[in-house]
Amino acid sequence: MRHLIINGEKKKIPPFPHHKYYAYCSRKFFMAKSILSHMVMHRFITIKELFNGWRYKAFIPRVLLIDPTSACNLKCKGCWAADYSRQDHLSFEKLDDIVTQARKIGIGDILMTGGEPLMRKNDILKLCEKHRKTTFAAFTNATMIDEEFADEMARLGNLNMFLSIEGTREETDFRRGQGVYDKVIQAMDILKSRDIGFAFSACYHSKNYKTIASDEFLDYMREKGCWFGWLFNYVPVGSDADLELTCNAEQRAYVQQKISNYCIKHQFTIVDFWNNGHMAFGCLAAGNGFVHINSKGDVEPCAFCHYSDSNIYEMSLLDALRSPFFTAFRKAQPFSNNPLRACPMVDVPEGIVKVVSEGNAHSTHYNCPESAETLSKKNTKRAEEWKIKADELYKSMPLYNQKNFPVFLKYHSFKKRMSDGRRNQKNV
């Protein structure tokens, strides 16, 4: 029987499909201390990905992110979804088709973003019922979680919730609106009462980063029933983005160090999306680990990278993974020899300019599209400052982090030859 330590208590992990099993697998992935432990985790899923890459001549990601809808019942400050059309959505039939395609090529995890995905919660429940061997999860503002929905989650087992919160009541309501914090806490209580292993999801920025990284906040999240957490560094995507919310190098390093120390001390898993490159082996976008489909059907490298050259209404998911843009993106990975500088948007901004140009991609942002050059210029100064700080941090990390990354680079080169390289040889 598998176990996880949750709030100092040893918890049994039921077999798949189960919401707690996802928390277990997430910890195994981000806590892998060697390439060997990475290869054998989760019923040898990495080996299966290599085989599927060879079989389909494409990088097959572990995770597919989908926006079922662009609609949202909130208008959060600094969120690009607030600019989106409220009418774009993927029909249930299209969602079902995408999940079916994903399962066929070996993708087993479907994460939903938006918009607010629970605007489509009845369709989500139908998908979970139909695709029992697939794990589903939603990044949600939590305002639409009620007793009835939680009962269905507990019954199905293969649906996970990641509840968005910004720190204190004042900090959460500052970005999300009056009264939202109390609704999130109420949703946590509902899920905890049913022994559902959910996660919190927090966007940290220049106004709340100390709260998000504090022991007090993280202790409270665990007390409320969170089995793990997601952290996202605020990214100024869109030409009208609020640059004042962007963390500087010192603020980002503060979060990285505090979170790392907390996770070690409490055996708790927090996925710090921009600061865990040394645990995830660098950038995972464009099919290397995940891929994103927005509510218009545009296939994007990740949920934050609003550029594409393909649409799911015009081609299959497999063909989209083989697109010129995605191929150019993967060819450029890793974008840095320091895994703490993994992202081509905020860490190596000249990287996003290069791959967008080589892949002939276009902006998919809704009301305020911007060129890759414009995005790069916004982030160049902070990226230069972060380079100095990130190099210092990486040198001070445990030796297994420093030794494993070069090993993984060799593995990644092998993976490229097995997928993109094999396809290119056949086309010659």
Side-chain angles (χ1 to χ4, degrees):
M1 175 67 74
R2 302 174 180 88
H3 297 84
L4 270 185
I5 303 299
I6 303 296
N7 279 336
E9 184 179 349
K10 194 174 184 180
K11 296 279 190 177
K12 293 181 179 179
I13 306 299
F16 177 88
H18 199 277
H19 42 84
K20 293 177 181 177
Y21 191 80
Y22 186 88
Y24 173 83
C25 291
S26 296
R27 180 165 182 82
K28 286 293 182 181
F29 178 83
F30 284 98
M31 296 296 114
K33 293 188 176 182
S34 71
I35 194 69
L36 178 61
S37 59
H38 178 75
M39 297 292 284
V40 302
M41 70 176 65
H42 189 14
R43 294 174 293 181
F44 297 94
I45 187 173
T46 306
I47 302 295
K48 295 174 184 176
E49 289 169 354
L50 280 174
F51 174 76
N52 286 329
W54 175 85
R55 179 184 181 185
Y56 295 110
K57 305 182 188 68
F59 269 56
I60 304 301
R62 186 167 303 182
V63 177
L64 172 62
L65 295 91
I66 306 176
D67 295 349
T69 180
S70 59
C72 186
N73 58 333
L74 300 181
K75 191 176 177 65
C76 302
K77 181 179 176 60
C79 175
W80 59 72
D83 299 332
Y84 284 8
S85 164
R86 299 303 169 117
Q87 299 174 354
D88 288 324
H89 69 277
L90 300 170
S91 67
F92 173 80
E93 291 72 22
K94 192 60 183 177
L95 289 169
D96 181 38
D97 174 57
I98 293 170
V99 175
T100 300
Q101 290 186 55
R103 286 295 310 177
K104 183 178 180 180
I105 62 176
I107 302 173
D109 291 345
I110 307 293
L111 307 190
M112 289 167 283
T113 56
E116 169 49 50
L118 293 194
M119 299 284 283
R120 302 283 303 284
K121 63 182 180 180
N122 290 333
D123 283 340
I124 290 172
L125 292 174
K126 285 169 61 179
L127 285 173
C128 293
E129 188 79 70
K130 182 173 181 178
H131 299 274
R132 300 293 291 143
K133 294 183 178 180
T134 297
T135 295
F136 293 88
F139 288 94
T140 173
N141 61 38
T143 60
M144 302 181 72
I145 295 176
D146 53 25
E147 305 274 351
E148 181 181 0
F149 182 73
D151 287 340
E152 284 297 285
M153 280 187 64
R155 179 184 69 84
L156 289 165
N158 62 335
L159 178 58
N160 302 270
M161 287 292 118
F162 310 145
L163 279 57
S164 297
I165 192 167
E166 306 293 328
T168 64
R169 176 180 283 103
E170 292 73 22
E171 289 164 332
T172 299
D173 290 356
F174 162 73
R175 282 198 67 200
R176 297 183 172 271
Q178 193 69 29
V180 172
Y181 176 87
D182 290 335
K183 291 180 181 179
V184 176
I185 297 302
Q186 181 183 15
M188 289 183 176
D189 290 339
I190 290 173
L191 296 179
K192 184 180 180 181
S193 70
R194 288 155 176 80
D195 196 28
I196 293 174
F198 62 95
F200 74 89
S201 172
C203 174
Y204 63 92
H205 49 78
S206 61
K207 308 295 184 184
N208 74 341
Y209 74 98
K210 284 191 175 181
T211 298
I212 295 300
S214 69
D215 286 6
E216 292 78 10
F217 171 73
L218 298 174
D219 286 347
Y220 186 56
M221 290 295 96
R222 292 166 60 218
E223 177 188 329
K224 297 306 293 182
C226 296
W227 278 52
F228 66 109
W230 294 87
L231 294 189
F232 298 95
N233 185 7
Y234 173 78
V235 182
V237 173
S239 58
D240 65 343
D242 187 349
L243 296 180
E244 290 186 3
L245 291 177
T246 308
C247 287
N248 61 34
E250 293 296 329
Q251 292 167 341
R252 181 173 166 183
Y254 178 91
V255 174
Q256 196 280 331
Q257 292 175 300
K258 290 278 289 184
I259 293 299
S260 178
N261 292 339
Y262 187 91
C263 289
I264 293 171
K265 180 180 179 181
H266 297 284
Q267 300 183 56
F268 191 62
T269 305
I270 297 178
V271 184
D272 186 348
F273 203 70
W274 269 266
N275 286 336
N276 277 165
H278 60 297
M279 294 182 175
F281 306 111
C283 174
L284 297 177
N288 188 27
F290 52 76
V291 64
H292 178 245
I293 301 175
N294 70 18
S295 58
K296 292 191 296 184
D298 297 313
V299 186
E300 303 168 333
C302 81
F304 298 89
C305 187
H306 296 177
Y307 300 96
S308 177
D309 68 341
S310 54
N311 190 284
I312 201 66
Y313 287 104
E314 300 168 356
M315 63 178 67
S316 68
L317 175 59
L318 184 57
D319 284 339
L321 290 168
R322 296 167 172 164
S323 78
F325 176 44
F326 274 32
T327 302
F329 202 107
R330 293 191 296 264
K331 182 180 178 181
Q333 291 169 328
F335 292 93
S336 165
N337 59 7
N338 182 342
L340 291 177
R341 298 177 57 240
C343 178
M345 296 177 63
V346 299
D347 299 331
V348 192
E350 62 272 19
I352 193 64
V353 175
K354 179 182 177 182
V355 297
V356 166
S357 175
E358 289 184 0
N360 195 28
H362 61 274
S363 174
T364 56
H365 199 78
Y366 280 68
N367 288 351
C368 300
E370 61 185 351
S371 68
E373 289 80 6
T374 300
L375 176 64
S376 175
K377 288 177 182 177
K378 281 195 302 189
N379 291 321
T380 295
K381 182 179 178 181
R382 285 185 174 86
E384 291 173 348
E385 294 171 350
W386 176 245
K387 181 181 186 303
I388 297 171
K389 179 59 66 174
D391 287 345
E392 293 176 3
L393 288 173
Y394 192 50
K395 290 176 183 178
S396 66
M397 283 184 170
L399 280 178
Y400 70 79
N401 287 135
Q402 298 178 35
K403 291 179 179 178
N404 279 344
F405 191 60
V407 174
F408 182 77
L409 294 185
K410 294 180 181 179
Y411 159 74
H412 190 252
S413 295
F414 173 72
K415 190 176 179 182
K416 285 182 180 181
R417 292 195 298 272
M418 292 280 283
S419 52
D420 290 343
R422 184 166 177 260
R423 185 174 75 253
N424 292 337
Q425 287 176 0
K426 185 171 182 178
N427 292 335
V428 171

